[in-house]
Amino acid sequence: MISANNVTLRLGKKALFEDVNIKFTEGNCYGLIGANGAGKSTFLKILSGELDSTSGEIAVTPGQRLSFLKQDHFQYDEYPVMDTVIMGNARLYEIMKEKDSIYAKEDFTDEDGIRASELEAEFADMDGWEAESDASTLLNGLGIETEFHYSLMKDLTGAQKVKILLAQALFGNPDILLLDEPTNHLDLDAIAWLEEFLINFDNTVIVVSHDRYFLNKVCTHIADIDYGKIQLYAGNYDFWYESSQLMIRQMKEANKKKEEKIKELQEFISRFSANASKSKQATSRKKALEKIQLDEIRPSSRKYPYIDFRPNREIGNEVLTVEGISKTIDGVKVLDNISFILGHDDKVAFVGSNEFAKTTLFKILSGEMEPDEGSYKWGVTTSQSYFPKDNTKEFDNDDIIVDWLTQYSEIKDVTYVRGFLGRMLFAGEDGVKKVRILSGGEKVRCMLSKLMISGANVLILDEPTDHLDMESITALNNGLIKFPGVLLFSSRDHQIVQTTANRIIEILPNGSMIDKITTYDEYLESDEMARKRTVYTSNKFAEEDD
């Protein structure tokens, strides 16, 4: 168990948390939610001991081990992958290194023998002989193939490092597990594996995530941070949302009845206070009036943007024909004979662990890259707008936001352009910020403004939820559901894929594809063998590359 007792954190004059009291108990998974800037990650750091609170204390059950998912991708660059994972249990790793150093001595003494014996006993008690096997299981589950298990961390990609650091946090069955955005940069298969792991995890989990589907799957409780307080709710994210909305409605209804009663009492007092025969009743009503207190309904600190993609023209029946597209990059065949035809009702989610292949296909279809073989043709009634995964080039200039967006608008009126920025929560002076200095989330909101103002009837979106908070993701999800045009998109957000797509195209690791007209959940259920074949193909190609 871990608890916060009267925890306050002040940053200058501002109190980020004020007298927070909350207890996290064994066997439960707590989703820590709140608006951007509410202090979710900061609170995890306080719980982990990485950050001291201004006052109050964190109490952990004596003897329990806490594990915290770290986001520093370069901290372990000089270590092998296997060592990095086992470091998740610091004491076990310490024993392993001390044993190795003792056995490596040329002048092995009796004292060394005694110490080695003590270490071996502790090592066995901690299931040390299973450490590498357990670490491999975690790595394989997250999609890190066996041939990488003894590579140096510096030789791996950023996405692989993310998975290894997650394996480190999960390693050794910690009593308390703190996870800050564990699904970031994970493909949907790895997220599904993590969901099952946490569902079957018997100890305490506290997780920050913007993935609503993930929170619904794994959480038994929701801890909601708002205005420096944390309110605990039993149930998953959807249950929290319904409960919180119900609570607000009930408070408003109660206030309405109180206001009606106040009005009734005030009218009686005003009418009869000067009447001698009614003065006692008027006095009684004055006392009753003084006792009525309206509930304070404080608006949430959450802010939802308004996302609405409206095409300037209706799309025809002929949308896109792709014939035999292949692409090899750095000697690796990324796309192999990709062919498909899109109709005017298609909303296609491109899935699979091969994220580079999806990005490459989107770049080809948006005209940013040429295929080695094959061709594609857009219908004459189509207009496309592209949301790239990497938007660095878009903001590598000194434009202010309003000028940056105006260049993409047919209507060059500043008021018109500011309207689109306002929908995405850029208000007032925000419009004169330079785009170069925007945060990741602000840049994504700018890109979504660009898509809205374009009036395109075909949207190509490559991981649009990266850097967005939950409120913006929810708004984007609603906007995509309502969009009357054609969608081609990839996303790690299960709920967006499930609620938006009516067709699934999976790009396999060998560059080929599977194409099904179905929802995502139905695809996962009906094509389990195809997904297993994906893993097999991935391993096969890794062997061939060796």
Side-chain angles (χ1 to χ4, degrees):
M1 184 193 76
I2 183 170
S3 62
N5 304 314
N6 296 314
V7 166
T8 295
L9 178 67
R10 294 190 176 277
L11 304 174
K13 294 182 179 180
K14 179 186 177 184
L16 191 59
F17 300 109
E18 191 88 52
D19 295 325
V20 169
N21 289 279
I22 190 168
K23 184 184 295 183
F24 303 100
T25 58
E26 186 176 350
N28 292 313
C29 179
Y30 299 85
L32 191 62
I33 65 171
N36 267 6
K40 301 182 292 293
S41 296
T42 301
F43 189 68
L44 284 189
K45 289 179 180 178
I46 292 173
L47 291 176
S48 72
E50 286 193 10
L51 183 65
D52 292 328
S53 59
T54 307
S55 61
E57 64 174 9
I58 301 299
V60 179
T61 301
Q64 290 200 336
R65 185 170 68 86
L66 183 147
S67 183
F68 186 22
L69 173 60
K70 297 176 174 63
Q71 299 289 350
D72 186 349
H73 299 176
F74 305 102
Q75 181 178 352
Y76 302 95
D77 269 2
E78 299 306 318
Y79 292 94
V81 169
M82 186 61 67
D83 282 25
T84 302
V85 175
I86 295 175
M87 283 180 194
N89 187 334
R91 177 55 188 157
L92 179 61
Y93 186 73
E94 183 182 304
I95 291 170
M96 291 173 65
K97 293 293 110 178
E98 187 176 353
K99 278 202 315 161
D100 290 345
S101 65
I102 290 175
Y103 290 138
K105 286 184 176 182
E106 294 183 3
D107 53 342
F108 192 87
T109 65
D110 290 343
E111 289 77 10
D112 290 330
I114 293 170
R115 180 57 180 160
S117 177
E118 292 171 348
L119 291 172
E120 291 290 3
E122 189 175 356
F123 184 72
D125 286 342
M126 298 179 74
D127 292 328
W129 297 112
E130 304 298 325
E132 292 198 9
S133 173
D134 292 344
S136 291
T137 299
L138 291 171
L139 290 168
N140 288 330
L142 289 167
I144 301 297
E145 289 83 8
T146 304
E147 61 265 26
F148 296 118
H149 292 189
Y150 294 91
S151 302
L152 288 178
M153 288 285 285
K154 66 182 180 183
D155 296 330
L156 302 183
T157 66
Q160 288 172 320
K161 288 180 181 180
V162 169
K163 293 181 177 182
I164 292 161
L165 292 178
L166 178 55
Q168 181 192 73
L170 303 178
F171 177 76
N173 195 37
D175 301 290
I176 300 163
L177 182 56
L178 307 181
L179 301 174
D180 191 1
E181 295 293 353
T183 62
N184 275 4
H185 307 293
L186 295 188
D187 55 73
L188 288 167
D189 284 340
I191 292 173
W193 180 90
L194 179 60
E195 287 167 357
E196 288 303 312
F197 182 94
L198 294 179
I199 288 169
N200 295 310
F201 188 71
D202 293 329
N203 300 331
T204 305
V205 181
I206 306 170
V207 58
V208 171
S209 176
H210 291 145
D211 189 326
R212 299 155 298 162
Y213 182 89
F214 178 76
L215 292 177
N216 278 330
K217 285 279 284 187
V218 305
C219 289
T220 60
H221 296 74
I222 295 294
D224 178 30
I225 302 179
D226 213 350
Y227 291 106
K229 300 292 184 182
I230 302 182
Q231 179 73 36
L232 192 62
Y233 296 81
N236 62 13
Y237 178 80
D238 282 349
F239 188 82
W240 160 80
Y241 183 80
E242 293 299 328
S243 298
S244 60
Q245 294 303 303
L246 176 61
M247 186 182 299
I248 291 172
R249 287 197 300 270
Q250 289 175 336
M251 290 173 69
K252 287 181 177 178
E253 289 171 3
N255 275 356
K256 184 178 180 181
K257 291 180 180 178
K258 289 177 182 179
E259 287 168 351
E260 291 172 353
K261 185 64 176 177
I262 288 170
K263 184 179 179 181
E264 177 188 320
L265 292 173
Q266 288 174 334
E267 288 176 350
F268 186 92
I269 293 166
S270 175
R271 184 177 177 186
F272 295 111
S273 58
N275 188 322
S277 63
K278 298 280 189 177
S279 62
K280 184 178 285 189
Q281 294 178 39
T283 301
S284 174
R285 280 166 172 74
K286 283 181 182 179
K287 292 180 180 179
L289 181 61
E290 291 171 358
K291 292 179 181 179
I292 297 177
Q293 297 291 328
L294 294 177
D295 294 321
E296 182 183 2
I297 305 176
R298 196 172 187 181
S300 172
S301 59
R302 292 176 173 83
K303 294 182 179 179
Y304 289 84
Y306 178 70
I307 298 178
D308 187 19
F309 304 108
R310 296 186 182 181
N312 291 335
R313 65 183 296 186
E314 189 173 345
I315 200 165
N317 290 326
E318 293 184 5
V319 176
L320 173 65
T321 300
V322 175
E323 294 183 348
I325 282 182
S326 295
K327 184 69 177 179
T328 298
I329 298 177
D330 295 332
V332 177
K333 196 151 197 176
V334 180
L335 299 172
D336 186 12
N337 194 31
I338 299 295
S339 299
F340 57 88
I341 297 173
L342 296 189
H344 69 279
D345 293 324
D346 281 330
K347 289 182 169 59
V348 187
F350 289 79
V351 303
S353 61
N354 196 344
E355 294 194 13
F356 185 54
K358 290 177 279 185
T359 296
T360 300
L361 179 61
F362 290 160
K363 284 183 176 181
I364 290 172
L365 296 180
S366 63
E368 288 196 3
M369 183 182 288
E370 291 293 328
D372 296 335
E373 300 174 20
S375 63
Y376 66 94
K377 182 180 179 182
W378 289 103
V380 294
T381 63
T382 65
S383 55
Q384 306 88 40
S385 192
Y386 174 46
F387 181 106
K389 181 183 291 188
D390 182 0
N391 57 37
T392 306
K393 291 181 181 178
E394 288 274 1
F395 301 101
D396 188 18
N397 57 72
D398 291 318
D399 288 346
I400 61 173
I401 296 178
V402 68
D403 290 344
W404 177 87
L405 186 58
T406 300
Q407 68 181 310
Y408 299 110
S409 174
E410 292 183 3
I411 300 173
K412 302 301 181 182
D413 179 67
V414 172
T415 302
Y416 175 77
V417 173
R418 280 185 176 272
F420 285 88
L421 291 173
R423 295 178 188 178
M424 296 307 299
L425 307 180
F426 292 107
E429 295 301 312
D430 286 340
V432 298
K433 279 185 179 179
K434 288 191 175 183
V435 296
R436 188 187 298 277
I437 65 169
L438 297 179
S439 69
E442 287 173 325
K443 288 178 179 177
V444 171
R445 285 191 277 123
C446 279
M447 292 298 296
L448 293 173
S449 299
K450 174 186 171 184
L451 262 63
M452 284 193 288
I453 210 167
S454 73
N457 54 26
V458 178
L459 300 181
I460 305 173
L461 309 173
D462 194 358
E463 300 295 346
T465 63
D466 284 358
H467 305 293
L468 289 183
D469 59 23
M470 199 173 307
E471 292 71 40
S472 298
I473 292 172
T474 300
L476 174 60
N477 197 166
N478 293 336
L480 293 179
I481 290 171
K482 292 187 298 181
F483 178 57
V486 170
L487 283 176
L488 298 84
F489 72 100
S490 65
S491 176
R492 301 183 189 93
D493 189 293
H494 187 119
Q495 191 161 333
I496 283 182
V497 178
Q498 171 58 21
T499 57
T500 304
N502 55 22
R503 181 174 174 182
I504 304 295
I505 293 180
E506 180 171 4
I507 306 295
L508 301 175
N510 63 357
S512 62
M513 57 174 271
I514 298 172
D515 185 358
K516 296 285 185 181
I517 297 176
T518 181
T519 67
Y520 184 57
D521 284 348
E522 289 170 345
Y523 179 75
L524 293 180
E525 291 173 7
S526 64
D527 283 275
E528 189 63 29
M529 290 307 295
R531 299 174 73 242
K532 290 178 180 176
R533 186 168 65 250
T534 301
V535 175
Y536 165 77
T537 308
S538 176
N539 290 333
K540 178 176 180 291
F541 267 72
E543 291 168 3
E544 291 178 355
D545 288 342
D546 289 341

